[in-house]
Amino acid sequence: MHKTHPDIIPRLKRAAGHLKSVVAMIEEGKPCVDLAQQLHAVEQAVAKAKKALIHDHIEHCLEDSKTDTRTALRELKQLAKYL
């Protein structure tokens, strides 16, 4: 487990709860502007969690002296598409 995982888990749980609330808002017929705003908030929360996870991985796995340069570069290229 990376050092940021314990911090990321509650963020994702909050985002999941928030997303559940958005589904309820849709079922209740709430205005589209309100829904879009709330979905944007969920999206941003997930994006921040993803960014923290990837940055932590780069810092603690790819910079690890045990990882050879080719492997690290290949993995960095794979991760880059998710940033």
Side-chain angles (χ1 to χ4, degrees), residues 22-23 35-36 42 51 61-62 74 76:
V22 173
V23 170
L35 295 169
V42 171
K51 184 176 178 180
C61 294
L62 298 185
R74 185 174 42 248
L76 183 58

Side-chain angles (χ1 to χ4, degrees), residues 54 57-58 62 74-83:
I54 291 171
H57 183 76
I58 289 169
L62 298 185
R74 185 174 42 248
E75 194 167 331
L76 183 58
K77 287 178 182 179
Q78 290 174 334
L79 287 170
K81 67 183 173 184
Y82 299 114
L83 289 174

Side-chain angles (χ1 to χ4, degrees), residues 3-20 41-56:
K3 76 173 189 174
T4 59
H5 287 188
D7 295 332
I8 292 171
I9 292 168
R11 281 182 175 193
L12 291 174
K13 286 182 178 182
R14 277 193 303 276
H18 199 144
L19 185 57
K20 187 176 179 180
V42 171
E43 186 177 48
Q44 292 300 308
V46 172
K48 286 179 183 179
K50 177 183 71 172
K51 184 176 178 180
L53 179 84
I54 291 171
H55 285 196
D56 184 61

